[in-house]
Amino acid sequence: MRAAILAAEHLDLLIQALRDSGYLVIGPVRDELAIVYDEIRSVRDLSQGWLDEQEKGHYRLLPSGDGRYFGHTVAANAWKKFLNPPKRLLWRARQHNGQLQFMPQSEDAPQLAFLGVRSCELHAIEIQDAVFVHDQHRDEVYSQRRQSLFTVAVNCTRAAATCFCASMNTGPEVTLPSDLVLTEVLDDASHYFLVDGGSERGRNILATLPLRAATSKQQALAKKGIESARQQMQTGPRFFDSAGIKELLYRNLESPAWDEVADRCLSCANCTLACPTCFCSAVEDTTDLTGEHAERWQQWDSCFNGEFSYIHGGSVRQTTRSRYRQWMTHKLASWIDQFGHSGCVGCGRCISWCPVGIDITEQLQAIQQADKP
Amino acid sequence: MKTVAQFVSEHSLFKGMKPDQVDFIASCGQLRRFAEGDYLTRENDPADFFYLLLEGHAVIETHQHNQPPVPLLSLTDNDIIGWSWLIPPYRYQFDARALSRLRTVRLDGRCIRAKCDTDPALGFELLKRLAAVLVQRIHGARFQLLDVYSADPAPLCRPGESLR
Amino acid sequence: MNTPRLFTVTDRRDEITATVTLELQPLDDQPLPVARPGQFNMLYSFGAGEVPISLSGSINASDSVRSADRYTHTLRAVGKTTEALARLQVGDQLGVRGPFGRGWPMDQLAGKKVVVIAGGLGLAPLKPLLEALLADITHYGHVQLFYGGKRPEELLYPESLIHWSEKIEVQLSVDQAGPDWRGHVGVITQLLASAEMDPDNTLAVICGPEIMMRFTIQALQKQGLPDTALYLSMERNMHCAVGHCGHCQWGPHFICKDGPVFCYADIAPWFFQREL
């Protein structure tokens, strides 16, 4: 199917079509002072007319002054919480008169539609798929949610200062499969979306919408928007050549750059929670006061937590230096050995949400500098 | 029947050493046998000799009042016993006892000391070889001191629940 | 993460200090997955938690073959969960997930001389390997066991050690001993340094405290064994055992699914790295 045009005033029809198909639609909404991904019931819930200003340890919302729905970049939180819930009950157990019984916790996976997934975020979801779906063992909760997931991707036409997908080769243009792909264009008075159907079910949804064929000018304008986002990144300070990072980090496990960053890092775990690919979790076994009922809960964990690496006698990673090194080296280097691709998609969340403004791209450059003979 | 020089040249301490050096060292030595329970060295005795262990088992040990001896290190073929002959006041620091019938070459430390004083090349060669043995013994002693096996959990068992 | 499967304790044996061996059988009638030597299970004690414990061999020294319908685990009470597991009695119930991980390279041991090196409780994960080797000794040829511990009474499986020493060379080393001890006093590396080895035709399997494994690898390298001939079992924090929770990451490796047994050649760049 050729690219089509959906008028901006018809965006709600897309949302309703998804809802009518049984999807719980999630998209960018304004929650107080940030844009977050949350449930969308109609187009009015979207964070229309707001821009994000992101920098090291800095996030502000500003009115965009125009009517764009997706003029902002990635939301504060990643989509991962909808596919891999931050806290979930795995099973319950009961022991009575010496008889033990396990009761698995099953769920009817919600049928989710993500509206406004950016290219870097599609990559992030694919990266988590590699961990939870395609590896030796499957995570059933994630897999079921993932299987029914409908994605409406949006091409970025603007980059935040923290964005560096152009360096990680994960954007700004959507290249991974998505049920639908939108590019928002605001050209003088005309406001519309260039729409592509990437799957059968995507095209089925499109068939219910009032579309018209895109002119070559409209397609060119959409392309231009994406190119301007790419330009913003390529001329910004966070543009770098990501080739050879694995080797760079592997040979610099003792770089003085780790000491410098460890002096600033609070080991607060914000970066791992904000990161769309960080997947670590912990389990907690609990009992009630009667001592007859027990539960196992799984919740997100972070390699910055002291007990994360605990073995008999103490934690293996005692220092912040070793924890930051673990996080960054895993993200950018050992992930490649583990799963065949980097664990970083360049979304910049770890930069914005670090309370002391640690910037992974700066750290990389610091290691590169120290690496030079 | 092997000569003392053959035994010396085949012992790991002297393997690869120049024949004239081996011959000299052998000239300071004689074959000695020990029965089980015999002492090769006694603490505080003059340390005139050291031993190349050719065959058998021996133990370095010490003692406390009215207590059975405490074994410190087991030694067997190709080990050496004694280096107090090299360092003043030339007295043994520990007991060395045969745990089985032993065949040894007993080397006269006084003889070798005197020769080394006038032949620094031999002295340095010998010291390098003894130092390697000493380093191995120190490494072992430190390893023992680490007490790595005390209360180690079964590998893979992760008893970290008190933290979770 | 799967729900544990319900098991019961069918036999129990007190070993050395605070250490027990439990024999476990499922309470359903489903077949038991085959556990290969070197693999591990996650054992759950009601209300106390779950820990990874290696499979160990048969509970009785005289059993030549492990029963196919039981799992056997040796564990030491060192924390809340292991203490609860160590208190389990015959007939008590518990949860089991597994078996997980890559075990010892049994296929590659065939036709080779095998040097088994254990330290402390590290003998437990090597016991099923030794039993497999001894059950088919002509297939494996020459087997040596070097086992180091703190004191003679802290050596695991004394009956098995006697039993094995009738068939293979067994050398025991302790850090400290009384005057009655006839074995070696010193360190295991000393025994390895003086052992006769055929470096071109030998595989070494190693399990013990990490520091002991570091020294052991150096001693074996001095003997001329190539890194490709050294296998060892690693340990890190573990929650899920299936590569999802991230805790057991060690450089590019997940101990739970890529290990716990690794060929040293594959992990050499990481083995001496601190706080990894």
Side-chain angles (χ1 to χ4, degrees):
Chain A
M1 171 175 159
R2 285 196 56 228
I5 296 296
L6 177 71
E9 64 261 34
H10 292 145
L11 182 61
D12 194 53
L13 294 177
L14 169 60
I15 296 170
Q16 299 315 323
L18 289 168
R19 284 166 60 82
D20 292 346
S21 303
Y23 289 105
L24 178 70
V25 183
I26 315 284
V29 305
R30 189 166 67 91
D31 178 11
E32 304 280 330
L33 299 173
I35 289 169
V36 298
Y37 296 132
D38 207 342
E39 189 183 346
I40 301 284
R41 291 187 178 78
S42 84
V43 75
R44 287 187 306 280
D45 291 333
L46 289 171
S47 48
Q48 186 185 15
W50 291 92
L51 286 185
D52 52 329
E53 180 186 83
Q54 303 198 44
E55 245 309 332
K56 285 187 282 184
H58 176 97
Y59 182 103
R60 296 287 184 278
L61 281 187
L62 308 169
S64 65
D66 61 31
R68 283 178 201 267
Y69 287 99
F70 301 102
H72 53 81
T73 67
V74 293
N77 59 344
W79 298 100
K80 67 178 180 180
K81 74 169 189 174
F82 300 103
L83 297 174
N84 177 27
K87 183 165 184 175
R88 68 198 211 215
L89 179 62
L90 295 178
W91 45 260
R92 290 174 298 126
R94 181 168 180 265
Q95 191 170 46
H96 187 68
N97 293 332
Q99 301 296 303
L100 180 59
Q101 193 188 357
F102 291 102
M103 290 151 286
Q105 183 74 8
S106 59
E107 73 156 14
D108 292 325
Q111 206 181 325
L112 300 170
F114 291 172
L115 170 64
V117 185
R118 307 307 174 113
S119 178
C120 64
E121 298 178 317
L122 279 179
H123 279 270
I125 292 170
E126 188 181 56
I127 286 170
Q128 289 216 326
D129 289 350
V131 179
F132 293 130
V133 185
H134 304 306
D135 202 41
Q136 292 173 27
H137 300 267
R138 275 163 69 94
D139 181 300
E140 286 308 320
V141 167
Y142 182 95
S143 299
Q144 283 172 26
R145 289 174 175 228
R146 180 67 182 92
Q147 198 170 17
S148 60
L149 176 68
F150 189 104
T151 55
V152 183
V154 168
N155 281 311
C156 288
T157 53
R158 174 184 156 256
T162 46
C163 289
F164 61 103
C165 65
S167 304
M168 300 311 297
N169 305 314
T170 54
E173 184 172 17
V174 172
T175 51
L176 290 180
S178 174
D179 297 298
L180 293 177
V181 183
L182 308 182
T183 312
E184 186 172 27
V185 179
L186 185 62
D187 177 32
D188 297 329
S190 86
H191 184 194
Y192 57 87
F193 295 94
L194 193 76
V195 192
D196 263 311
S199 70
E200 192 58 42
R201 46 183 194 175
R203 286 184 285 273
N204 288 341
I205 292 284
L206 286 190
T208 68
L209 302 178
L211 303 179
R212 56 179 198 273
T215 65
S216 54
K217 187 192 170 203
Q218 286 169 322
Q219 294 192 48
L221 282 171
K223 205 85 186 159
K224 198 176 141 197
I226 299 169
E227 282 316 306
S228 90
R230 195 191 308 277
Q231 277 295 316
Q232 282 177 303
M233 283 184 277
Q234 285 178 347
T235 54
R238 295 187 174 89
F239 188 63
F240 57 88
D241 179 4
S242 59
I245 292 183
K246 184 181 100 173
E247 293 73 16
L248 173 76
L249 291 178
Y250 277 3
R251 69 172 175 267
N252 281 289
L253 293 173
E254 300 300 338
S255 170
W258 302 118
D259 298 305
E260 186 281 322
V261 71
D263 281 345
R264 291 183 286 142
C265 175
L266 307 176
S267 211
C268 73
N270 261 18
C271 49
T272 56
L273 297 177
C275 176
T277 67
C278 273
F279 59 84
C280 289
S281 63
V283 296
E284 187 177 28
D285 290 303
T286 61
T287 44
D288 70 357
L289 287 173
T290 68
E292 286 196 357
H293 302 93
E295 292 177 342
R296 168 162 301 171
W297 288 83
Q298 177 181 315
Q299 59 186 319
W300 291 358
D301 198 359
S302 169
C303 54
F304 282 96
N305 289 335
E307 65 269 33
F308 186 85
S309 60
Y310 184 88
I311 53 174
H312 179 64
S315 292
V316 174
R317 294 181 207 113
Q318 295 273 348
T319 61
T320 299
R321 175 186 183 275
S322 67
R323 291 180 212 152
Y324 188 87
R325 184 182 70 181
Q326 165 62 23
W327 177 69
M328 182 164 152
T329 308
H330 181 219
K331 190 70 44 189
L332 294 171
S334 51
W335 211 300
I336 296 169
D337 279 338
Q338 293 171 347
F339 299 104
H341 46 70
S342 173
C344 176
V345 297
C347 73
R349 285 184 178 92
C350 57
I351 303 170
S352 303
W353 297 101
C354 175
V356 295
I358 293 170
D359 178 342
I360 190 172
T361 65
E362 273 183 13
Q363 291 318 118
L364 196 60
Q365 283 169 33
I367 287 167
Q368 268 163 343
Q369 291 297 323
D371 183 58
K372 286 189 180 131
Chain B
M1 178 86 186
K2 280 190 190 175
T3 62
V4 172
Q6 279 172 308
F7 282 119
V8 168
S9 69
E10 287 167 12
H11 192 276
S12 62
L13 183 65
F14 296 112
K15 210 167 261 178
M17 214 162 167
K18 286 183 191 159
D20 60 319
Q21 294 177 328
V22 169
D23 285 344
F24 170 74
I25 285 162
S27 74
C28 299
Q30 55 183 174
L31 292 172
R32 288 294 286 253
R33 289 174 186 275
F34 293 90
E36 181 181 339
D38 285 353
Y39 283 90
L40 287 77
T41 70
R42 296 301 295 249
E43 185 180 332
N44 208 41
D45 278 359
D48 294 338
F49 302 104
F50 71 109
Y51 299 87
L52 307 181
L53 237 165
L54 305 178
E55 196 182 334
H57 293 277
V59 62
I60 307 290
E61 58 191 20
T62 189
H63 62 92
Q64 302 179 71
H65 299 295
N66 307 322
Q67 298 285 322
V70 180
L72 298 170
L73 184 66
S74 307
L75 296 170
T76 186
D77 310 5
N78 267 321
D79 284 326
I80 70 162
I81 294 176
W83 49 63
S84 300
W85 60 275
L86 192 61
I87 304 147
Y90 310 122
R91 288 184 180 276
Y92 294 120
Q93 312 244 325
F94 294 102
D95 295 349
R97 184 166 56 96
L99 294 176
S100 67
R101 287 163 50 129
L102 288 187
R103 291 198 306 126
T104 72
V105 172
R106 188 184 77 172
L107 292 165
D108 189 325
R110 295 162 298 189
C111 162
I112 294 177
R113 270 194 331 250
K115 172 73 173 173
C116 288
D117 280 342
T118 59
D119 184 349
L122 172 67
F124 184 57
E125 184 61 34
L126 193 59
L127 268 182
K128 275 194 290 183
R129 288 160 180 267
L130 284 168
V133 176
L134 281 171
V135 164
Q136 201 185 23
R137 298 272 174 98
I138 291 170
H139 184 272
R142 287 176 178 166
F143 188 1
Q144 280 169 282
L145 202 63
L146 279 169
D147 197 13
V148 291
Y149 307 116
S150 80
D152 63 319
L156 261 178
C157 123
R158 173 186 48 81
E161 289 64 41
S162 56
L163 280 162
R164 291 198 289 117
Chain C
M1 189 190 301
N2 289 339
T3 307
R5 191 171 163 189
L6 190 59
F7 275 62
T8 186
V9 178
T10 50
D11 200 356
R12 181 189 190 283
R13 187 187 163 100
D14 280 306
E15 308 280 1
I16 55 177
T17 315
T19 306
V20 299
T21 297
L22 301 174
E23 189 185 74
L24 311 173
Q25 190 173 31
L27 280 168
D28 52 48
D29 49 10
Q30 299 298 306
L32 200 61
V34 174
R36 295 184 299 281
Q39 287 193 297
F40 65 95
N41 279 322
M42 300 295 288
L43 304 188
Y44 169 77
S45 168
F46 180 81
E50 191 182 54
V51 282
I53 307 279
S54 286
L55 270 299
S56 52
S58 51
I59 195 162
N60 297 310
S62 52
D63 292 351
S64 56
V65 183
R66 280 174 302 141
S67 12
D69 62 343
R70 315 269 164 101
Y71 289 146
T72 311
H73 293 278
T74 297
L75 59 100
R76 172 169 276 180
V78 285
K80 189 177 114 188
T81 305
T82 45
E83 275 165 15
L85 288 165
R87 277 196 301 270
L88 291 176
Q89 299 299 320
V90 172
D92 285 351
Q93 298 181 353
L94 73 162
V96 176
R97 293 192 297 126
F100 296 117
R102 281 200 321 191
W104 301 109
M106 302 307 291
D107 296 344
Q108 296 184 49
L109 300 182
K112 292 275 189 180
K113 295 179 179 171
V114 184
V115 182
V116 181
I117 303 151
L121 296 191
L123 186 59
L126 286 164
K127 190 166 183 245
L129 173 138
L130 281 161
E131 287 173 352
L133 297 185
L134 284 164
D136 195 9
I137 193 75
T138 52
H139 192 211
Y140 290 106
H142 188 254
V143 180
Q144 290 168 288
L145 169 63
F146 295 88
Y147 180 31
K150 180 181 167 128
R151 302 182 61 85
E153 60 273 24
E154 289 291 313
L155 294 176
L156 209 50
Y157 312 132
E159 293 164 33
S160 294
L161 290 171
I162 292 166
H163 182 66
W164 295 336
S165 64
E166 290 160 7
K167 297 184 175 177
I168 60 169
E169 180 188 343
V170 175
Q171 291 210 50
L172 307 177
S173 172
V174 295
D175 290 339
Q176 301 165 12
D180 299 335
W181 172 246
R182 301 298 294 176
H184 185 260
V185 178
V187 288
I188 196 125
T189 45
Q190 192 191 350
L191 291 179
L192 293 171
S194 57
E196 296 225 349
M197 285 189 202
D198 173 7
D200 298 330
N201 195 31
T202 299
L203 287 184
V205 290
I206 312 158
C207 189
E210 212 164 296
I211 189 164
M212 167 261 179
M213 295 201 289
R214 292 211 304 270
F215 294 158
T216 296
I217 281 167
Q218 289 166 338
L220 292 171
Q221 287 172 329
K222 269 189 206 155
Q223 278 273 10
L225 265 70
D227 289 355
T228 50
L230 313 178
Y231 287 83
L232 61 153
S233 183
M234 288 296 298
E235 181 195 2
R236 282 295 179 271
N237 189 331
M238 221 178 262
H239 287 210
C240 74
V242 293
H244 292 169
C245 79
H247 283 83
C248 70
Q249 284 182 82
W250 182 56
H253 308 286
F254 288 82
I255 304 288
C256 68
K257 65 184 172 99
D258 303 329
V261 174
F262 291 94
C263 177
Y264 180 65
D266 297 333
I267 56 170
W270 310 101
F271 195 67
F272 287 85
Q273 189 67 47
R274 293 167 200 204
E275 287 198 278
L276 189 64

